[in-house]
Amino acid sequence: MSTWQVVRVPDPGQWGTLPPEGVLGVRDLPEAVGRIGLKPGDPVFVRPGGMVDADLLDFVRSDIFRKLERESKRNYSTDMRLLLNFLSSRDVEWRQATRQDLEDFRDWRCDAPENPERISGTKWDREAAAFTKLFKWGEVRPLPVDVSQLEDRAADSVSSRVSWLTPRTWGLWTDAGLRGHTRGGMPAPEWDSRTEIRNTSFVQLLLSSALRRQEGGSLLVFELPTQRLRHGRYCHGRIAGAVTRSKSSRVFYASVDAVGQVEAYIESERAWAIARAQAAGRYERLPQMLLITRVSSRLKPKVEWVDRNGVVSEKELSLLDWRERQSLFLEGPEGPEPAYLWLTEQGLPMAPERWNGVFRKANQRCEKVLLTEKERRVTRDFRLTEVRGKSPYATPHSARHSAALYLLIVLNQLMETRFGLTKAERRDFTLLFGDPWWLVKTILGHADVETTKRHYLAPVAHLQLESILATADTTEDQDEQVEDLDGVFARLARETAGIQDIDALLDKRVAL
């Protein structure tokens, strides 16, 4: 090998077939890796000569790296490999790196015209954070880069990539991307609908609840909310702290319609996938199966299970991360079946990151249906605005962004029009219950309302929503209220960058 490589520790049962004579003189490699303190997903840095770098192995096992989330470990190790290769091209060991080396690397990554894959300021800040951790741990002085210093951060960095779709645009994206509809609104003859109910119900759950991809994607079947609020339009459940970014459990809300769609998926596609997996004996071949025997109903519920060897264990439900959840099973009428809500076509638990592929294929389907062949030849980043606006583009986090925006608008409308509050009354209401920003912040699970404003809804904060909403007509008729909200979203989309609303295209579809 002429470059640095990163090898990641496999999950249990994913090592494949190891040679009986062992690997590199080690007969039981999984046991040896666990003995030195490496965990599944941990990176192992291999030098250009093919030897494991012992120094970086210590860094991976250090507290500063071990506390990172698995996805962060993957991202940081990928970033560090690029820097190690750059330094190797200069015959410089990372402990001898200087500020000039890092400035040259930053120039190449961000600004060099000869680099065809230049990165954004946001991406550089993430890389700089990884390098800073490494150099601080290695006690390299002076620090070649320090992300806490203004000069080492990118001036064009943005705190987050915010993406909104209005409700009717989500409808178009769902119809074209997940249901296989044609431009005329009819199902395409060649459409493969085997996972249609699963995919559409997942999207509706996220749009209704504002959950993150990992939060909504790691639910167990008995965590699906069933307890309705007083007026019956929403259910509330509890999301486990181990699957959240803040590691704190919180209550979440989902509409009855969204929950009903998930229940339909459980009774149809999910049940069929489980039946096929049981018939094929897939569950018996799994390296680990934890059969749930009891879920307590106390304030902090505990899950009790028994493994294949008859060993009984238990753990708080809120402390189970998504990987542990994938090994949990319930006794079904035809034998054990996954407790994990979202399953693949093979009946196996679906890792949260696989939803990215579902959204990517839906985006491609929308482009195929809504753009001409000539328009598709140009990649999305280089398309004209009017061409880009013809086809909606969504990610799992777009659903969270959109749910937050929708909540903010509805709450403002309720306070401004439905309740008919005066300024004084609104001030009193805010003191008692908090303003719409605070309520949205609570639903999103943010620790600080400023995070909600800065990361999610800042582009619309300057629009004086009160005056915009005041112009929207309100009646007692529910259908007209929905139309009024569509008008508000259309107006926001015209006056604010970043909100996708397929207005002109919808008019064309109606005419077809």
Side-chain angles (χ1 to χ4, degrees):
M1 294 184 295
S2 59
T3 60
W4 283 82
Q5 301 294 324
V6 176
V7 180
R8 307 188 196 283
V9 177
D11 288 305
Q14 302 297 319
W15 285 83
T17 304
L18 299 174
E21 67 274 12
V23 179
L24 300 177
V26 181
R27 287 195 174 275
D28 190 344
L29 187 58
E31 191 275 338
V33 167
R35 189 171 60 249
I36 65 175
L38 289 175
K39 298 181 178 180
D42 280 350
V44 177
F45 291 87
V46 182
R47 299 181 65 88
M51 297 295 293
V52 173
D53 190 284
D55 206 14
L56 291 175
L57 193 62
D58 289 339
F59 171 67
V60 170
R61 294 183 295 174
S62 68
D63 286 343
I64 193 172
F65 194 84
R66 179 167 292 177
K67 292 178 180 178
L68 296 174
E69 292 292 330
R70 182 165 173 168
E71 187 172 354
S72 296
K73 291 180 180 180
R74 171 179 288 275
N75 293 335
Y76 278 21
S77 58
T78 300
D79 298 339
M80 289 166 55
R81 175 179 175 268
L82 294 174
L83 176 63
L84 292 170
N85 280 324
F86 177 82
L87 294 175
S88 290
S89 69
R90 296 185 166 193
D91 293 325
V92 175
E93 292 291 329
W94 67 267
R95 285 187 179 275
Q96 279 72 53
T98 65
R99 287 196 65 85
Q100 187 62 55
D101 290 323
L102 269 294
E103 287 173 4
D104 291 345
F105 180 70
R106 176 179 176 178
D107 179 73
W108 167 257
R109 293 288 286 151
C110 301
D111 302 318
E114 60 270 24
N115 181 5
E117 298 180 352
R118 294 190 295 274
I119 62 174
S120 65
T122 303
K123 178 66 167 62
W124 167 255
D125 282 355
R126 191 191 81 181
E127 293 188 5
F131 307 150
T132 301
K133 285 185 182 294
L134 174 63
F135 291 128
K136 282 188 175 180
W137 173 83
E139 298 181 350
V140 178
R141 296 290 184 271
L143 282 175
V145 63
D146 186 355
V147 74
S148 65
Q149 300 299 314
L150 184 61
E151 61 269 20
D152 287 342
R153 297 198 305 269
D156 61 339
S157 175
V158 293
S159 57
S160 64
R161 293 182 177 180
V162 182
S163 176
W164 297 298
L165 283 75
T166 62
R168 60 180 178 180
T169 307
W170 273 109
L172 176 64
W173 183 87
T174 300
D175 286 343
L178 298 180
R179 294 195 174 102
H181 287 189
T182 64
R183 189 182 179 91
M186 299 297 293
E190 76 281 1
W191 176 246
D192 183 356
S193 61
R194 289 177 298 178
T195 58
E196 179 181 315
I197 301 177
R198 182 198 67 186
N199 297 343
T200 54
S201 59
F202 178 79
V203 171
Q204 289 305 311
L205 179 65
L206 262 58
L207 282 172
S208 172
S209 63
L211 292 175
R212 293 184 177 91
R213 180 197 66 188
Q214 181 168 291
E215 295 170 347
S218 57
L219 289 172
L220 303 176
V221 287
F222 52 80
E223 289 180 310
L224 187 67
T226 56
Q227 186 173 358
R228 295 192 179 193
L229 300 180
R230 185 175 62 177
H231 295 292
R233 295 181 60 186
Y234 274 80
C235 299
H236 65 90
R238 193 163 188 84
I239 198 72
V243 301
T244 67
R245 183 171 294 175
S246 64
K247 303 306 174 189
S248 299
S249 299
R250 72 176 190 276
V251 174
F252 73 97
Y253 303 89
S255 70
V256 171
D257 289 343
V259 172
Q261 289 189 47
V262 179
E263 290 173 341
Y265 156 68
I266 293 174
E267 297 296 326
S268 56
E269 286 180 358
R270 188 178 187 275
W272 299 332
I274 290 174
R276 291 193 298 270
Q278 290 172 333
R282 291 194 185 101
Y283 300 145
E284 286 80 358
R285 296 194 296 270
L286 291 175
Q288 185 178 42
M289 177 187 287
L290 307 177
L291 188 62
I292 295 176
T293 56
R294 180 172 176 266
V295 180
S296 67
S297 57
R298 62 184 70 176
L299 183 62
K300 293 183 177 180
K302 286 188 176 182
V303 180
E304 298 178 4
W305 65 78
V306 58
D307 66 14
R308 294 188 189 275
N309 298 320
V311 177
V312 178
S313 304
E314 68 174 17
K315 194 171 185 178
E316 274 189 33
L317 179 61
S318 65
L319 299 181
L320 291 167
D321 64 30
W322 70 265
R323 290 176 184 82
E324 295 173 302
R325 290 161 171 258
Q326 292 195 326
S327 298
L328 296 176
F329 278 72
L330 295 166
E331 189 64 55
E334 302 298 329
E337 55 188 53
Y340 207 80
L341 175 58
W342 307 105
L343 305 180
T344 65
E345 288 186 76
Q346 291 72 38
L348 300 175
M350 183 170 172
E353 61 263 23
R354 290 193 61 177
W355 287 108
N356 290 350
V358 173
F359 276 71
R360 180 170 57 253
K361 289 181 180 179
N363 290 329
Q364 293 170 349
R365 170 70 185 173
C366 286
E367 291 183 353
K368 181 179 179 181
V369 171
L370 301 172
L371 298 182
T372 66
E373 183 178 354
K374 181 179 180 181
E375 290 170 336
R376 292 198 302 272
R377 291 198 194 106
V378 181
T379 59
R380 178 175 175 82
D381 291 339
F382 294 98
R383 289 174 189 155
L384 297 175
T385 303
E386 57 267 26
V387 175
R388 190 184 305 176
K390 291 181 180 180
S391 177
Y393 179 90
T395 66
H397 221 57
S398 299
R400 179 170 164 86
H401 295 156
S402 301
L405 179 65
Y406 182 80
L407 284 169
L408 179 68
I409 290 176
V410 170
L411 288 170
N412 268 284
Q413 186 184 44
L414 286 173
M415 294 183 70
E416 290 292 334
T417 60
R418 180 75 63 81
F419 295 155
L421 300 180
T422 65
K423 288 185 179 181
E425 290 170 336
R426 177 166 179 164
R427 184 182 64 249
D428 293 340
F429 184 93
T430 299
L431 290 174
L432 287 172
F433 305 107
D435 64 9
W437 287 103
W438 186 88
L439 293 171
V440 173
K441 161 256 180 191
T442 302
I443 291 173
L444 290 173
H446 290 160
D448 185 0
V449 70
E450 292 304 319
T451 302
T452 308
K453 293 180 179 180
R454 182 174 64 254
H455 289 268
Y456 285 83
L457 308 173
V460 299
H462 70 284
L463 287 180
Q464 298 294 323
L465 280 172
E466 293 84 356
S467 61
I468 294 176
L469 293 167
T471 63
D473 295 331
T474 58
T475 68
E476 296 300 321
D477 184 77
Q478 185 177 359
D479 292 336
E480 289 186 11
Q481 289 177 8
V482 173
E483 291 176 358
D484 292 337
L485 280 176
D486 283 340
V488 173
F489 277 112
R491 185 157 51 253
L492 283 174
R494 288 194 300 269
E495 300 181 17
T496 307
I499 301 179
Q500 299 179 52
D501 184 57
I502 314 299
D503 195 355
L505 187 56
L506 283 173
D507 293 340
K508 293 178 182 178
R509 288 186 63 196
V510 171
L512 290 176

